[in-house]
Amino acid sequence: MKISGRLDGLLFVGFFVVGLIVCIWYLLRYDPGFLPLASEHGRFIDNLFIATLIITGIVFVLTQLLLVYFTFRYKSKGNGEKAYWYPDNKKLEIIWTIVPAVIIVTLIVVGQVGWGKIFHTDPPENAYVVEIVGEQFAWNVRYPGEDGEFGRTNPELISRANPIGLDTADPASEDDILVLNELRLPLDQPVLLKIRSKDVIHSVFLPNFRVKMDAVPGMTTTFSFTPTKEGEFDLVCAELCGLGHYRMRGYVVVQPMDELEEWLIEQREMQ
Ligand SMILES: [Cu+2]
């Protein structure tokens, strides 16, 4: 009886110590260069994540250490002693309610204000507009062409040859440029993504840009941001959208505006 009690205690403490070591080890080997930041607003999101991780990390380590300490310090000596009954302590309870409340409310308010600036602010007038339409299992990317206007679409016109159901009766559709799984964006210029879906809910996820927005059938969602790094990045679907979800990926290319325009002309000629 006594031995199994001690074993239980050791297992209990061992569980916390091992858990703690694994967590700290995981944190230390995290490579901040793993997903290089490539957008303007992303800095704020990264900082908020780091601040949250540091604050919750300190609390986590402290509470786990205290748990281990108390388990050891107040373990039974096996001589039938009675546990000390400690019903309440007003002062302590007020402190441990108010301190976390203030910290959490601060994090929430800072997050809300920041998210408001990123998401609930009208995109700048000069934003470069690109449409991205999800389907099982690909991304159709559409540029409005020279007229700067997207042609009308109609789901009934969708076919193999016309993946987004472009209505050629609309003159604005004539110069629209459609590419598959390749999203090219101009460097250092605000971009406005117009996001739609043909079938089920998808989610446009651009990890390097700290952008994630659902693509919902029947509506257009948007996300505006400014790419700040030239290069090639991932474009993936972050919503489990069917058996082929894992292969619903493309890439993002960020390049200076003149190069992007040249590429668009090439694409236009190919169509
Ligand atoms: Cu998807």
Side-chain angles (χ1 to χ4, degrees), residues 135-137 139 200-203 237-242 245 248:
E135 67 170 74
Q136 288 174 315
F137 299 96
W139 296 106
V200 299
I201 300 175
H202 301 278
S203 182
C237 179
E239 189 74 56
L240 184 55
C241 55
H245 164 68
M248 185 167 171

